[in-house]
Amino acid sequence: QVQLVESGGGLVQAGGSLRLSCATSGRTEMSRYDMGWFRQAPGKEREFVAAILANGGTTNYADSVDGRFTISRGSAKSTLYLQMNSLKPEDTAVYYCAADRSGRGLIIGVSRLDYYWGQGTQVTVSS
C-alpha cells in the first residue's frame, strides 16, 4: 500500500509561481513507480497535467502546461514535485498526485481509478 500526501497549494496572482510536493509512505521501492499530477476544476473532469517515469529519466506534459510547469522527483524517488510558473487563472483546480507501477499508461496521461491517489491540494490563481 502507498500513501500520497500533497502540499504546497494556495492562492496566487496570475503570473506567479507555486511548488507542489507529494510525499509518499508505505513502501520503500517508489523507484519502481511512475508518478504524475492530475487536476480537476469545478464542473470539469480530472485531467492530466504531467508525469515522470520511475527512473526519473522521462517526463511528459499536457500541452496546456508545457513550458510553464516542471515535474521532478527527489533523489530517493519518494517525493514528487511540480514547479508551476507563469500561472494563469485557468490553472485553478484541485491538484492530485498519482502513483502506479510502470507500464500502465500514467506517463502518457491515462487516468485509472486504481492508481494510488493523494487527497488533493487546492491551487487558486486570481486574475
Side-chain angles (χ1 to χ4, degrees):
Q1 192 73 10
V2 175
Q3 291 81 43
L4 307 176
V5 179
E6 302 97 335
S7 61
L11 174 63
V12 64
Q13 289 188 333
S17 298
L18 283 174
R19 188 191 195 207
L20 304 184
S21 299
C22 174
T24 67
S25 62
R27 283 185 181 266
T28 59
E29 64 271 26
M30 288 308 298
S31 58
R32 298 181 182 179
Y33 285 72
D34 297 342
M35 297 189 73
W37 293 95
F38 293 76
R39 66 187 182 187
Q40 187 166 18
K44 296 187 177 181
E45 293 187 352
R46 189 171 298 189
E47 66 174 3
F48 169 73
V49 176
I52 186 167
L53 283 180
N55 63 12
T58 299
T59 58
N60 186 34
Y61 297 91
D63 290 343
S64 59
V65 307
D66 198 9
R68 299 187 297 122
F69 291 10
T70 302
I71 189 171
S72 62
R73 301 181 72 147
S75 58
K77 304 291 189 294
S78 60
T79 304
L80 182 70
Y81 302 101
L82 185 68
Q83 178 67 44
M84 305 186 295
N85 299 327
S86 302
L87 283 161
K88 304 175 181 179
E90 51 264 43
D91 294 318
T92 295
V94 177
Y95 283 70
Y96 297 91
C97 173
D100 190 53
R101 60 187 186 274
S102 291
R104 297 212 306 152
L106 194 156
I107 190 61
I108 60 170
V110 175
S111 179
R112 298 182 187 272
L113 292 177
D114 62 349
Y115 288 166
Y116 294 108
W117 292 96
Q119 83 289 349
T121 185
Q122 176 71 47
V123 172
T124 303
V125 184
S126 62
S127 57

